[in-house]
Amino acid sequence: QVQLVESGGGLVQAGESLRLSCAASGSIFSINAMGWYRQAPGKQRELVARITNGGSIKYADSVKGRFTISRDNAKNTVYLQMNSLKPEDTAVYYCNAEAALKYFQSTSNYWGQGTQVTVSS
């Protein structure tokens, strides 16, 4: 099993910043990609940002220019720097990893439990 633990969420005012961290642990053989998704109550979960092992990055249009995803592959950790936060960014943010366990060839998707980000106006 791969465990993903998010941290860094909280309550901030519009225009402020937060940095989310997600550390993967367990019997990990490799991680192909890690990313952040978010979900507000009653809405679908959506991709915020994703980064592959090779450094390819994808952002949601709504966060381009404000959020920056980065990773430390040696530490199996992904970060999301969120600047100029807006009330519309309020959601539970989930860490995702596409990873393979040791001694298993196939990759699977793993999810963290989520961290709440609330942005007040």
Side-chain angles (χ1 to χ4, degrees), residues 39-116:
Q39 186 172 26
K43 297 186 179 294
Q44 290 187 322
R45 187 174 299 184
E46 64 174 350
L47 174 70
V48 177
R50 185 176 184 267
I51 185 167
T52 70
N53 191 36
S56 297
I57 295 174
K58 182 180 178 64
Y59 291 104
D61 289 342
S62 60
V63 307
K64 288 181 179 178
R66 299 188 298 120
F67 291 8
T68 302
I69 190 170
S70 61
R71 88 291 190 204
D72 186 335
N73 288 343
K75 297 180 179 180
N76 291 333
T77 300
V78 66
Y79 307 93
L80 186 67
Q81 179 67 45
M82 304 185 294
N83 297 328
S84 302
L85 282 162
K86 303 175 180 180
E88 64 182 306
D89 297 318
T90 296
V92 177
Y93 284 69
Y94 296 92
C95 181
N96 169 265
E98 180 184 327
L101 300 176
K102 291 181 179 178
Y103 314 115
F104 292 88
Q105 186 174 10
S106 299
T107 60
S108 299
N109 276 304
Y110 299 89
W111 295 91
Q113 293 185 342
T115 184
Q116 177 71 48

Side-chain angles (χ1 to χ4, degrees), residues 26-37:
S27 300
I28 301 170
F29 175 73
S30 64
I31 298 178
N32 293 338
M34 298 185 75
W36 292 94
Y37 293 72

Side-chain angles (χ1 to χ4, degrees), residues 9-29:
L11 173 64
V12 298
Q13 295 183 357
E16 295 182 343
S17 299
L18 285 172
R19 189 180 75 162
L20 305 183
S21 299
C22 174
S25 62
S27 300
I28 301 170
F29 175 73

